[in-house]
Amino acid sequence: MPSTEFKGEIKVASRIVDYLSSGLYKSPGSCLKELINNSYDADAETVHVLVKPDADTIIIEDDGAGMDKDEFVRHFDRVAESHKRDSGDTTESGRPQIGRIGIGFIAANEICDEMEIYSTKEGSTELLRVTVNFDLMRQDVDVRRRKGVDVAKADYVGAVEEAERRDHYTRVFLRRVRGQAQDMLVSARRAAHQRAPAASLYGLTPEQVRGQLANPSLQSWDDFDLYSQTMLQVALNVPIGYPDDWLPSRHASAAAWFTQEAARPGFRVLYDGTELRKPVVLRPGEDDQDIFHEFEIKQDEIQARCYLYAKRRALRPDQLNGVLIRIRRAAVGEYDRSYLGFPNTQERLFQDWVSGEIWASDELEDAMNIDRRTLRDAHPALYALRDAFHDELGQFLRRARTELYSRPSAKRQERKAGDQLVGIREVIQSQEGFSKRLAKELVAAWEQYEDDSAILRRLVRKYTVTEIYDMVLEAAYEALEPDQVQRFLKALTRRLSK
Amino acid sequence: MEEDRLDKRAVRDLWLNVIVNEEGSSGPAPLYLTMPGPAGHEIGLLVERGILRLSETGAIEDPDEIRVVAVESSPTAMAELKKRYPGLSAVDGPIQNLLRGFDRTRMPEGKQRKRCQAKIVNLDFNGVLEAQTHSGAAVWHQLELVVKLAAIHRENAESWFLFLTFNANIPWAKVVQRAAVSFVKENVERREDFRSGCERILGEESLSVLLSGSQLPSEGDPRSRQRFMMVFVPKKIASEVVSLGWRTETLANLHYGDDVDRAGMVTWIFRFEWDERTGGTPDAVYGEAVTSSLANCSEVTPTGDMVIIE
């Protein structure tokens, strides 16, 4: 083998193997986001993700710091169990690092059988080229055991070639992408079992994507094709900015910290040419009936900056309903509709109206499982966070009830009553035999609805036929002779039964 | 740069005219398979002519239709092309990988096969036509790829087009040279129209030297070697594909890029027509193909003008 060539095995601690073997990354989007987060950790400003038309080969290219052969071997030779980092683990530009590069690359094995990496560092004339073959993973674990508790996950062959001194990038090619993953990544259908094509976000500008997400008729991301669903999943997770006007403008000032913090790293992801923004578009409520609450949590065990947003009626698309945790700008899994285990009998209706985010401090990272999707319940940081968050959430839900439900409900009732009164006036005033004095007296009985809630309730109430008979008969016997009552009743029945 | 040269642009314009004319006729197969180079100038021209439409973000519209397939020999070049045109169907690796090598018995399957069934295939090789002997017979590698493409297109039995370009240098071993000369001589001696065409293209003197000596013009005479390529390649292709049912029509037979001490490039536009007569009278079909091969020979000048060789 020429001196510039090298080879080896990627080994992982056996506990990681357990996680990796159990469908750690539940979708192709999860794998892509890991690789994108790797690029972020390499101080990249721009990442290109190229998937269409058929995901035969997927390309992820960044303009980050790159890596050389020594770094590659160091990252991959043994992917350790713990995901802890040394304190103050930041990139050269000061970004708190999100992931561990070895895990990120190994995630790729969930969707492909081979990965090729090209990378070069600025100022270096060396280009690292490595082909990682995941076929080894398909062998029995006993064949793959190495010394201690290590297990081989893949083997690699690499070489060092020449590069331009000024270049710095990492380019990853995912090859031999599995059929199912290909389908999920590029399908024009909404779901694997469906035939008809669905709406797509492919080829749209960020503004157009925002428009699609803001569309009141969009109930769920599932309304888009699988390609777009993956795109949105990726965009939800990686450290990119919010779209312009991501929430009603009257809340923009209150949300400014989040808007600025998300945009601060200046990290861009172009997904088949579309620049991604967080797929968080919080639609305004009808008649501006929405509330935004921004708050901080400051406990010994954890700090966090949070917001909660609610609008009247169920929040859509439904993927945004719940609370999303971010650590170091990257999302932990998806929106949690349980709100970290908030009692679901408490203000149940209004829990469906809410979307929120928790930007948590590093202490919470220790509670995170290696899949970066779930947290360990009993961890002190999560415990403290949950308590403080639930307090705020409880108050917020009560506020939502008052401001978005009770008050508007009362106003709606009053409007209905007003409409009924207009109708009653018209009916009475149109009776030719009625004197003006009588008409006025009859209408006056209802006009106090604004001050008398009992009258208001009766104005808008709906009556059954039985109840009409009861009331009318009572009134008829009071005012009419018995034979007149019978004639009246027959006439009424004829009208009601038509 | 090659891309900016007027003569190359003139050739590319010819290609584009064919592509525009055939735009609606490719059916479910791709319209165009090409090797555009990392800068993708050709792709840009397809966009200009409306063959490919771009969204506001610059991504290919309707990527799932796969109208154009780009083949790039290097992954880096492929990545550059796809960044420039997201959604473009691109395959990395040399064209022979897509066709599963030069061996005629190994054919691509599935998606790869479908890509090879493009209505128009552009094999724009920067390098020379490579050749070697195999079991005593001369084999021209890139022409084997052409034969494989012809075999793949048999499934549809519909006409298709080939753009083929080589550097006109001939680095063949002597035994290969003799085989090529012998092949050309065969028709010179049998067909008067072919002979007169060769006289026109090669010049009487060069033809005479060729016929008497069984060898190519010397390396010190690149222009004559270039002209030999113009005679040899279309005839060779015609002979190889007639047994597959195809009659070739040479729509253009050109050379360009000449310099005092450089052979320049040779390029052709072929139409492959399905011809039922190949079953009964293949010689007649082959004869027609050979006649057409020298009917449209021209030089493309450095200013991009086409001058018929007379």
Side-chain angles (χ1 to χ4, degrees):
Chain A
M1 184 184 295
S3 60
T4 60
E5 289 191 3
F6 60 98
K7 63 180 184 179
E9 283 184 338
I10 297 172
K11 295 178 282 294
V12 297
S14 60
R15 184 157 166 249
I16 293 180
V17 170
D18 287 345
Y19 281 116
L20 294 176
S21 306
S22 60
L24 178 68
Y25 295 100
K26 63 172 192 165
S27 70
S30 302
C31 303
L32 294 182
K33 65 100 171 164
E34 286 290 345
L35 293 168
I36 294 169
N37 287 341
N38 280 347
S39 298
Y40 175 86
D41 286 346
D43 271 336
E45 290 181 0
T46 305
V47 180
H48 290 268
V49 180
L50 300 161
V51 175
K52 281 275 194 185
D54 48 22
D56 258 3
T57 298
I58 299 166
I59 304 172
I60 301 107
E61 178 181 307
D62 71 53
D63 57 1
M67 63 180 153
D68 57 26
K69 174 189 162 190
D70 289 342
E71 284 166 329
F72 174 84
V73 172
R74 196 163 61 242
H75 284 310
F76 280 82
D77 187 62
R78 186 174 185 273
V79 181
E81 174 176 347
S82 171
H83 61 275
K84 276 189 185 174
R85 280 182 228 89
D86 299 329
S87 61
D89 194 4
T90 57
T91 69
E92 276 201 30
S93 72
R95 290 176 182 172
Q97 285 191 332
I98 294 172
R100 284 185 61 85
I101 192 167
I103 295 284
F105 279 123
I106 288 174
N109 90 86
E110 295 277 331
I111 62 173
C112 72
D113 291 328
E114 186 180 293
M115 180 171 68
E116 196 172 10
I117 304 166
Y118 292 77
S119 191
T120 184
K121 298 171 77 80
E122 189 171 13
S124 167
T125 57
E126 293 188 346
L127 172 67
L128 171 73
R129 177 175 60 81
V130 184
T131 302
V132 179
N133 193 320
F134 294 116
D135 286 338
L136 189 65
M137 281 192 60
R138 323 297 172 216
Q139 295 178 23
D140 194 79
V141 67
D142 289 331
V143 172
R144 294 185 286 112
R145 280 198 201 287
R146 301 293 180 258
K147 68 175 183 185
V149 296
D150 291 353
V151 177
K153 286 305 262 185
D155 47 31
Y156 60 81
V157 174
V160 176
E161 298 170 358
E162 279 194 33
E164 293 287 335
R165 196 177 282 277
R166 64 178 181 275
D167 285 345
H168 55 93
Y169 60 80
T170 297
R171 195 175 278 145
V172 175
F173 295 83
L174 305 182
R175 298 190 189 287
R176 293 194 278 147
V177 178
R178 309 254 184 79
Q180 209 166 13
Q182 277 188 5
D183 192 52
M184 289 176 76
L185 284 163
V186 298
S187 176
R189 300 186 313 271
R190 284 176 54 192
H193 63 276
Q194 291 187 325
R195 286 176 179 273
S200 181
L201 301 175
Y202 170 80
L204 299 188
T205 63
E207 294 73 28
Q208 289 168 332
V209 171
R210 186 218 166 269
Q212 292 277 331
L213 295 175
N215 188 332
S217 65
L218 180 74
Q219 299 296 300
S220 167
W221 293 354
D222 298 347
D223 293 346
F224 292 117
D225 62 10
L226 292 175
Y227 169 84
S228 305
Q229 290 178 41
T230 299
M231 183 203 263
L232 293 171
Q233 285 158 18
V234 169
L236 182 67
N237 188 279
V238 298
I240 51 178
Y242 291 93
D244 294 339
D245 302 323
W246 63 280
L247 73 175
S249 55
R250 62 185 163 281
H251 303 307
S253 171
W257 184 88
F258 300 95
T259 307
Q260 287 158 12
E261 195 58 24
R264 191 188 308 281
F267 183 63
R268 300 166 70 223
V269 178
L270 278 87
Y271 199 95
D272 282 327
T274 294
E275 183 170 343
L276 297 185
R277 303 286 167 79
K278 290 194 195 317
V280 179
V281 178
L282 302 176
R283 300 174 194 165
E286 278 174 30
D287 301 325
D288 296 348
Q289 291 177 61
D290 47 63
I291 48 178
F292 183 89
H293 172 53
E294 184 258 341
F295 57 97
E296 286 187 62
I297 291 174
K298 288 181 180 173
Q299 308 281 328
D300 291 338
E301 301 89 341
I302 186 81
Q303 295 83 48
R305 197 95 182 224
C306 318
Y307 75 79
L308 291 166
Y309 174 81
K311 65 173 261 302
R312 190 178 161 74
R313 295 223 174 86
L315 190 120
R316 293 286 182 262
D318 53 16
Q319 280 84 0
L320 300 186
N321 175 222
V323 69
L324 181 75
I325 295 178
R326 291 190 189 275
I327 304 174
R328 297 184 167 209
R329 295 192 177 88
V332 179
E334 295 157 349
Y335 280 82
D336 171 16
R337 284 192 193 162
S338 80
Y339 298 95
L340 309 185
F342 190 77
N344 81 354
T345 49
Q346 196 173 324
E347 306 288 10
R348 178 74 215 114
L349 170 69
F350 307 107
Q351 290 187 29
D352 288 345
W353 294 11
V354 175
S355 178
E357 291 187 57
I358 298 172
W359 288 54
S361 58
D362 282 0
E363 286 83 354
L364 195 62
E365 197 173 36
D366 208 31
M368 198 163 47
N369 291 313
I370 203 147
D371 61 1
R372 287 199 66 89
R373 272 194 292 132
T374 54
L375 299 160
R376 289 197 292 284
D377 274 348
H379 194 279
L382 179 59
Y383 210 81
L385 176 70
R386 188 167 42 226
D387 273 353
F389 177 72
H390 285 174
D391 278 344
E392 292 280 350
L393 179 63
Q395 290 176 44
F396 184 76
L397 290 171
R398 286 190 288 280
R399 184 182 158 198
R401 169 186 278 283
T402 306
E403 292 186 33
L404 302 181
Y405 182 72
S406 305
R407 278 193 210 138
S409 184
K411 285 195 177 127
R412 271 199 311 281
Q413 293 282 67
E414 283 180 16
R415 271 202 300 273
K416 263 193 203 170
D419 292 342
Q420 288 294 310
L421 185 59
V422 167
I424 291 170
R425 259 196 211 109
E426 281 173 8
V427 165
I428 291 174
Q429 286 166 359
S430 69
Q431 304 308 307
E432 283 180 6
F434 284 15
S435 65
K436 276 188 185 168
R437 190 167 153 254
L438 174 62
K440 193 174 170 184
E441 195 183 306
L442 291 174
V443 169
W446 296 102
E447 277 172 341
Q448 304 310 307
Y449 75 88
E450 280 174 344
D451 300 318
D452 188 332
S453 60
I455 295 177
L456 185 148
R457 279 198 301 276
R458 287 186 203 121
L459 254 180
V460 299
R461 202 196 139 170
K462 289 185 171 49
Y463 293 89
T464 64
V465 172
T466 310
E467 285 169 328
I468 291 173
Y469 270 123
D470 277 343
M471 282 189 299
V472 166
L473 271 171
E474 206 178 304
Y477 274 117
E478 205 178 290
L480 300 174
E481 297 298 326
D483 60 331
Q484 285 175 317
V485 171
Q486 287 178 26
R487 280 207 305 277
F488 174 73
L489 201 57
K490 278 185 190 171
L492 177 69
T493 301
R494 267 202 309 276
R495 278 156 181 79
L496 286 174
S497 61
K498 271 189 191 164
Chain B
M1 271 174 62
E2 164 90 358
E3 303 293 348
D4 295 326
R5 293 167 54 131
L6 291 174
D7 45 12
K8 181 73 185 196
R9 273 199 223 167
V11 170
R12 205 176 280 119
D13 281 344
L14 289 180
W15 295 343
L16 283 167
N17 287 341
V18 173
I19 296 167
V20 168
N21 285 341
E22 297 299 319
E23 191 188 347
S25 66
S26 62
L31 171 65
Y32 188 46
L33 172 73
T34 182
M35 307 189 295
H41 288 291
E42 203 183 321
I43 307 297
L45 291 172
L46 293 175
V47 171
E48 275 178 32
R49 295 286 190 105
I51 304 292
L52 282 174
R53 289 178 302 277
L54 303 183
S55 73
E56 268 188 63
T57 60
I60 304 280
E61 270 187 16
D62 300 322
D64 301 334
E65 277 189 23
I66 307 191
R67 309 194 78 206
V68 174
V69 179
V71 180
E72 266 311 317
S73 55
S74 90
T76 299
M78 184 183 89
E80 287 300 321
L81 202 53
K82 288 198 69 131
K83 271 184 353 188
R84 197 184 296 266
Y85 300 106
L88 178 69
S89 179
V91 180
D92 71 303
I95 184 71
Q96 57 265 33
N97 284 7
L98 180 63
L99 284 158
R100 296 195 71 201
F102 301 113
D103 182 347
R104 293 188 193 188
T105 63
R106 294 184 69 217
M107 291 297 223
E109 299 290 339
K111 213 185 285 189
Q112 306 294 61
R113 190 179 184 90
K114 191 174 170 199
R115 286 171 172 147
C116 296
Q117 287 172 334
K119 182 75 174 179
I120 303 165
V121 178
N122 188 349
L123 301 181
D124 185 3
F125 294 107
N126 276 335
V128 300
L129 175 57
E130 295 166 358
Q132 63 180 118
T133 52
H134 184 68
S135 304
V139 174
W140 286 270
H141 289 155
Q142 292 95 324
L143 299 188
E144 293 296 297
L145 300 180
V146 173
V147 173
K148 292 180 80 167
L149 284 166
I152 289 166
H153 277 85
R154 280 189 77 185
E155 274 174 33
N156 301 330
E158 287 176 7
S159 66
W160 61 285
F161 293 80
L162 173 69
F163 308 156
L164 184 63
T165 306
F166 292 115
N167 179 294
N169 270 320
I170 300 180
W172 306 336
K174 291 259 187 282
V175 61
V176 174
Q177 291 186 36
R178 278 198 294 275
V181 169
S182 170
F183 176 71
V184 169
K185 272 169 75 169
E186 178 191 275
N187 265 129
V188 168
E189 285 154 1
R190 283 170 51 193
R191 297 184 65 95
E192 186 51 40
D193 53 357
F194 185 70
R195 184 188 188 98
S196 64
C198 285
E199 279 176 359
R200 181 164 45 86
I201 306 303
L202 298 172
E204 271 189 57
E205 193 181 329
S206 290
L207 179 60
S208 161
V209 168
L210 197 80
L211 294 176
S212 64
S214 291
Q215 63 186 40
L216 292 176
S218 77
E219 286 183 32
D221 185 4
R223 198 173 183 81
S224 294
R225 286 191 158 211
Q226 184 185 60
R227 297 293 180 98
F228 179 81
M229 287 283 283
M230 294 174 77
V231 166
F232 169 72
V233 168
K235 179 170 152 37
K236 185 65 178 163
I237 290 175
S239 77
E240 294 287 352
V241 303
V242 69
S243 61
L244 297 173
W246 298 108
R247 172 173 49 80
T248 58
E249 191 180 339
T250 307
L251 302 178
N253 186 343
L254 310 169
H255 72 86
Y256 69 92
D258 293 357
D259 221 328
V260 173
D261 55 354
R262 191 167 72 122
M265 307 295 284
V266 280
T267 187
W268 301 268
I269 297 178
F270 298 105
R271 178 163 55 212
F272 287 66
E273 290 283 358
W274 185 254
D275 196 323
E276 301 280 355
R277 296 177 297 156
T278 54
T281 53
D283 272 351
V285 175
Y286 173 54
E288 287 175 27
V290 169
T291 301
S292 92
S293 70
L294 302 182
N296 295 297
C297 292
S298 299
E299 173 188 352
V300 186
T301 68
T303 53
D305 299 312
M306 302 227 181
V307 178
I308 294 177
I309 297 172
E310 298 188 278

